[in-house]
Amino acid sequence: MNKTIKLMGRSIDDLTAEDVAAVANRLEKDEYSSPFEALEDWHLLRAIAFQREELVEPYFHLLDIEAYDEA
């Protein structure tokens, strides 16, 4: 079973900094067998960022989220 699926089965509230680091590490290595596996990890990291931003701060560069001013 894919590690991403195991993490996605848990509540984001239950994830630890180590769990998030593992996802980010997989994204940084980019050694997936299919692009869909990478996309699953990317979506997971993004979901975590919306709910627990403090865990994802060191990995924002992987999400390509840029702050911008709409004014």
Side-chain angles (χ1 to χ4, degrees), residues 5-61:
I5 301 300
K6 288 181 184 176
L7 285 177
M8 292 179 76
R10 293 171 52 196
S11 167
I12 288 176
D13 290 334
D14 295 335
L15 297 179
T16 65
E18 291 79 19
D19 295 328
V20 176
V23 173
N25 188 38
R26 288 195 304 268
L27 283 167
E28 287 179 333
K29 286 185 177 181
D30 195 24
E31 296 175 348
Y32 296 97
S33 59
S34 80
F36 298 106
E37 288 179 4
L39 195 56
E40 286 177 4
D41 274 350
W42 186 84
H43 280 290
L44 176 59
L45 194 63
R46 191 166 185 259
I48 297 167
F50 282 116
Q51 294 184 34
R52 302 207 37 215
E53 183 177 333
E54 73 281 1
L55 290 178
V56 179
E57 281 182 22
Y59 314 110
F60 273 145
H61 64 281

